[in-house]
């Protein structure tokens, strides 16, 4: 019975990854179709001046940290291998929530890798968050980036506040705890 539950939890993690990829690719296709060409100044306001859709092509890594495409590709593959290995070694028998969070992370990574492959090396970014009153402008990102960020943040929070890796102490059953210990005999007959 436990193997069926484990298999089901792995399938749920895979389903969460697939859902992220599908939502990510669908949203990117909608943005390309309706807001092209990129950097054209066309945008769709979602929340006043604070949140809007604005299409840009991102040739770099997350938030523009890496600009060398070959190095970026190698680092992405290495990161995916490490992530899958980490999942397999540490969380394959852990709680379902850890598996779902890994599904978000893997789905986000797969969505951006698929985008780079389909679009010839760039990723479609379109979610633009800013606070104009203080001049704050966040990097433009996409659904895959959001899934990775949320998955990593929640995973770290859960790991930090949980006892997942600590061995659990066996607590005595209630019946055994209520029984008075019997005195031992010293071998003398009364």
């Amino acid at each position: 019975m436990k193997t069926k539950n484990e298999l089901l939890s792995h399938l749920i993690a895979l389903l969460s990854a697939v859902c992220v990829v599908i939502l990510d690719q669908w949203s990117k296709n909608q943005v390309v179709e309706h807001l092209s060409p990129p950097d054209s100044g066309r945008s769709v306001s979602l929340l006043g001046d604070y949140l809007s859709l604005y299409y840009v092509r991102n040739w770099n890594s997350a938030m523009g940290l890496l600009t060398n495409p070959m190095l970026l590709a190698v680092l992405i593959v290495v990161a995916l291998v490490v992530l899958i290995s980490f999942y397999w070694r540490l969380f394959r028998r852990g709680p379902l929530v850890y598996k779902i969070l890994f599904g978000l992370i893997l789905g986000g990574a797969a969505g951006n890798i698929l985008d780079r492959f389909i679009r010839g090396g760039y990723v479609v970014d379109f979610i633009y968050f800013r606070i104009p009153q203080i001049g704050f402008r966040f990097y433009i990102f996409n659904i895959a980036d959001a899934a990775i960020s949320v998955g990593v943040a929640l995973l770290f929070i859960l790991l930090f506040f949980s006892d997942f890796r600590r061995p659990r102490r066996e607590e005595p059953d209630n019946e055994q705890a209520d029984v008075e210990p019997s005195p031992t005999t010293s071998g003398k007959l009364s």
Side-chain angles (χ1 to χ4, degrees):
M1 187 70 164
K2 186 171 182 158
T3 56
K4 282 184 182 180
N5 288 340
E6 286 178 11
L7 179 62
L8 181 62
S9 66
H10 293 310
L11 289 174
I12 291 172
L14 180 62
L15 180 64
S16 68
V18 168
C19 287
V20 167
V21 171
I22 290 170
L23 181 61
D24 177 63
Q25 290 300 304
W26 175 81
S27 63
K28 289 173 180 174
N29 287 332
Q30 293 300 308
V31 165
V32 169
E33 183 179 333
H34 297 287
L35 292 178
S36 283
D39 293 315
S40 66
R42 295 179 63 197
S43 67
V44 174
S45 177
L46 299 176
L47 190 60
D49 291 336
Y50 301 102
L51 186 64
S52 60
L53 303 179
Y54 181 77
Y55 173 27
V56 297
R57 290 180 179 173
N58 182 352
W59 293 90
N60 302 321
S61 68
M63 296 178 231
L65 297 176
L66 291 173
T67 55
N68 182 332
M70 183 56 105
L71 179 61
L72 177 61
V74 169
L75 287 177
I76 288 172
V77 169
V78 168
L80 276 175
V81 168
V82 167
L83 193 61
I84 291 169
S85 170
F86 190 65
Y87 173 87
W88 189 252
R89 293 175 146 231
L90 196 57
F91 295 114
R92 67 180 170 178
R93 296 199 177 159
L96 179 61
V97 67
Y98 292 123
K99 294 173 185 175
I100 292 171
L101 292 176
F102 262 93
L104 291 178
I105 297 166
L106 288 173
N112 279 340
I113 289 171
L114 182 62
D115 218 30
R116 286 189 190 281
F117 180 74
I118 290 171
R119 301 183 193 284
Y122 68 89
V123 172
V124 172
D125 284 339
F126 58 91
I127 302 171
Y128 184 31
F129 174 71
R130 63 184 174 229
I131 305 173
Q133 292 83 355
I134 61 172
F136 175 78
R137 291 189 171 138
F138 195 73
Y139 292 96
I140 300 173
F141 59 100
N142 57 44
I143 301 292
D145 297 334
I148 293 169
S149 299
V150 168
V152 167
L154 290 177
L155 189 62
F156 279 134
I157 290 169
L158 287 173
L159 286 174
F160 185 75
F161 289 109
S162 75
D163 63 348
F164 176 68
R165 297 302 299 164
R166 291 183 216 144
R168 296 184 181 190
R169 269 183 36 204
E170 293 287 328
E171 295 196 18
D173 294 337
N174 287 341
E175 293 175 16
Q176 291 177 349
D178 293 337
V179 176
E180 292 284 325
S182 60
T184 58
T185 58
S186 61
K188 295 181 183 176
L189 294 174
S190 321

